[in-house]
Structures are given as C-alpha cells and as structure tokens.
Amino acid sequence: MQGVNLKLLQTFVLVADHASFRRAAEVANRAPSAISMQVRDLEAQVGMRLFVRTAQRISLTPEGQALYDRTH
C-alpha cells in the first residue's frame, strides 16, 4: 500500500463504515460527489474496484474488504 493517499484511504473507510456515499458525505460535511470522486481516485491508485455499486446499495468487493480489514 505504499504511495496510497491517506486522505483517500480515510474517505474509503468512512464510506465502508457507513455503507453509503451519501451518509459518509454527511458525516464528513462534504458533497457526495466529492466522496465518490475520492473513492474513484483511490480505486485508480490501487488498480481495482473497491465497491460494488447498485442503485439501491453499495458493498465491498473482496479486494475492498481485504483493504478495509488491513486498515483496522
């Protein structure tokens, strides 16, 4: 995980903790689009999808779960 932007990683954890981009944005007092962009930037940095996004909910991919587990 060398070279991973820690701010992006913090945003990822916030989204994973709340299982919601909207709720993470509320907690962080930021726009949901900013939260989404940061997660996309992190996904680009690590070279993999971290969340499965559907219209109704989000969930961690196996890779996202592994990254989340490493942060705790």
Side-chain angles (χ1 to χ4, degrees), residues 22-67:
R22 181 189 57 76
R23 182 69 187 125
E26 289 172 358
V27 169
N29 198 31
R30 306 202 55 221
S33 60
I35 297 294
S36 181
M37 185 182 308
Q38 286 189 319
V39 169
R40 281 194 310 268
D41 289 349
L42 179 61
E43 288 175 329
Q45 279 189 13
V46 299
M48 64 187 90
R49 302 265 322 177
L50 300 173
F51 291 99
V52 175
R53 298 158 175 90
T54 67
Q56 306 299 356
R57 64 195 275 295
I58 65 165
S59 59
L60 290 166
T61 63
E63 297 83 4
Q65 185 65 55
L67 179 59

